[in-house]
Structures are given as C-alpha cells and as structure tokens.
Amino acid sequence: MKRSVPKAGSKRMSVDDLLDGTVQKDNNKAGGRYAEEVIQDDTFSYDGYQVVRGEFFAHIYEPSLCFNQSRVYVNMGCLKRMQDVDYVQILVNAEEKKLVIRPAGEDEKDAFLWCSIKNAVRRPKQITCRVFFAKIVHLMSWNADYRYKLLGKIIRSGDEKLAVFDLNATEIYVRTAKEGEKPKTARKPVFPAEWENQFGLPVEEHRKQLQVNIFKGYTVFGIREHKESTDGAAVDNSTGGEA
C-alpha cells in the first residue's frame, strides 16, 4: 500500500483534525449531521417553577452593594457596568423594599461621588452614611453589627441605566466578639430563614422584581461632607440627608 508523504512545510493533521474535517463536510450537507432537534411542546408552563437565587452561586463579578458599620459601597462589577457614571443618587422605596442607584449630574441635588478616581482609574469607595445606614437598618429590622451584601441587576428604564437592589434578598455576614478579642466577621454568609425551603421566587414574581418606577414611592438620599481619611484613602462622612 502506497503511503502519501506530507510536503515540506505542510501542517501535519491529527486524527482529531481529520475527524473534524469529516464532520464539517457532513455538516455542510443538507441540514448537517448534528442538526439541533427541537421538540415542540405547547403544554409547557412555568407554573410551579422557581428561579434559583443568584446568591446561591459564586458571583464575584456580579454587581453588589454592601452595608457595613455605617458605610455603604458597591463593588467593581457595579462600576464596570456603569462605566461612564461618576455621580449618582440613591433612591429607596420603603414599601417595596427596593433600592435604586441612578446616574446623576455632579451639581444635582443629593448627587454624590460613588467611587474614587485616580489617574482616570475608578475604584470602589466606602461611603460613611450614619443616618442613612440607621434608617435602612430600622426599615429592614437588620442587626447594625452585621454586614449585609445585596446582589443587583443593571436595567434600563426609559433612557436611564439603573442599578436595582432588593433589600429583602441579602447575604448576612455575622459579626461576633469574644471577651478581650476584636470582633470577627464570618467569612461565610447566612441567608434569611424563609429561603430555607425554597430555591428562589416563582417565575412571574421574579419578573416583577425588575420592574421599577423611580417616580413612585421612592425617596432620594444624599451623601454630604466629603473628607479625606488620615491614610489617604477617600472616605465620605455623611449625615444621610433625606430629600
């Protein structure tokens, strides 16, 4: 049997390459060898299904908001999804327990700088907001000694891009203190007790969570009295003023 010898400079093909070539040729014929099969089922319903909560998965790149020791701050995931936004307003709907971060102009009432900017690089910044923190803790019956982390979604409402957070859906990092030792914050979160026997919200209710009317029932909170900390990192001290 005569064997063919590859020409000088030609690429040697592996068995996988040859097989891929065969598959590619077959796929180019009449619909393809591995054409996707779709079964039509008009009886399917979302009734009874729950959308599994994002908090149950790893989510370091998702937009998040934290309340901790009278401070509030967002993560890099939030800043990256709102790249052109330096000044924002915080809006709270006390009835629906939702918090919205809305882009704002530097000179707008109750607008504040939500990130530190150095050499055109934006970084998360912890913003002190004692009154606002206390009001949220009171509204949600939280423990002021714990850290609360909320996952958010970036949505469009009209011409505005908004970061929306559900205050009811939070990861809780418990802080404990032993006598003679500094308080320690747990590395693993705990979740609200009502989540124990559920994966998440029913599909229809989940869809409604992202429906936001920022002009109905929302209060705007401002951050004031910007100061520089002694270690050079930007820190805001706030009275948490209410519009």
Side-chain angles (χ1 to χ4, degrees):
M1 181 177 178
K2 187 176 180 180
R3 294 182 179 179
S4 60
V5 180
K7 295 181 180 179
S10 63
K11 179 182 178 182
R12 178 175 291 181
M13 298 182 68
S14 66
V15 174
D16 289 338
D17 291 333
L18 292 171
L19 289 175
D20 287 345
T22 302
V23 171
Q24 184 61 43
K25 288 180 181 179
D26 289 340
N27 279 333
N28 290 334
K29 295 178 182 178
R33 181 177 175 181
Y34 296 107
E36 181 182 3
E37 293 185 6
V38 179
I39 300 174
Q40 185 69 29
D41 184 1
D42 295 326
T43 65
F44 178 81
S45 169
Y46 285 113
D47 290 345
Y49 283 87
Q50 296 176 342
V51 181
V52 180
R53 294 184 182 278
E55 290 84 0
F56 294 158
F57 300 95
H59 45 256
I60 59 175
Y61 300 109
E62 296 299 315
S64 69
L65 173 74
C66 280
F67 287 92
N68 185 34
Q69 295 183 320
S70 296
R71 292 185 177 131
V72 63
Y73 51 95
V74 298
N75 68 344
M76 278 299 298
C78 209
L79 294 180
K80 286 181 177 179
R81 284 166 175 76
M82 301 179 75
Q83 294 183 0
D84 300 325
V85 178
D86 294 333
Y87 286 84
V88 298
Q89 294 170 330
I90 287 182
L91 296 86
V92 173
N93 189 314
E95 182 178 347
E96 297 184 4
K97 306 297 191 296
K98 288 182 182 178
L99 183 150
V100 169
I101 298 179
R102 175 172 69 175
E106 180 178 358
D107 298 325
E108 282 190 61
K109 185 179 185 300
D110 294 319
F112 63 94
L113 186 66
W114 72 329
C115 60
S116 62
I117 306 174
K118 186 175 182 180
N119 298 325
V121 178
R122 302 158 75 242
R123 297 290 182 192
K125 176 174 63 172
Q126 296 192 24
I127 304 168
T128 302
C129 50
R130 293 181 179 86
V131 174
F132 176 54
F133 179 84
K135 289 176 73 68
I136 291 293
V137 167
H138 177 73
L139 173 67
M140 302 305 301
S141 299
W142 288 351
N143 187 320
D145 293 327
Y146 296 170
R147 178 165 71 93
Y148 293 84
K149 180 178 179 180
L150 312 168
L151 291 186
K153 291 296 180 184
I154 307 299
I155 69 169
R156 276 201 180 277
S157 178
D159 296 330
E160 292 185 308
K161 184 186 287 187
L162 309 172
V164 183
F165 300 89
D166 181 359
L167 293 168
N168 288 306
T170 178
E171 298 176 21
I172 307 167
Y173 293 82
V174 178
R175 183 175 288 111
T176 57
K178 295 182 179 180
E179 188 175 352
E181 297 181 6
K182 292 183 178 180
K184 294 182 179 180
T185 304
R187 298 178 64 87
K188 294 183 178 180
V190 295
F191 299 103
E194 58 268 24
W195 291 12
E196 183 176 356
N197 298 316
Q198 60 172 232
F199 287 100
L201 296 174
V203 175
E204 285 303 317
E205 187 176 345
H206 182 270
R207 287 173 176 165
K208 293 177 182 178
Q209 290 296 309
L210 293 181
Q211 295 177 2
V212 175
N213 181 348
I214 60 175
F215 301 107
K216 181 180 178 181
Y218 281 85
T219 301
V220 181
F221 287 85
I223 307 296
R224 303 189 181 98
E225 298 180 21
H226 176 77
K227 295 181 180 179
E228 295 293 324
S229 67
T230 55
D231 62 0
V235 175
D236 281 345
N237 293 308
S238 169
T239 59
E242 181 175 338

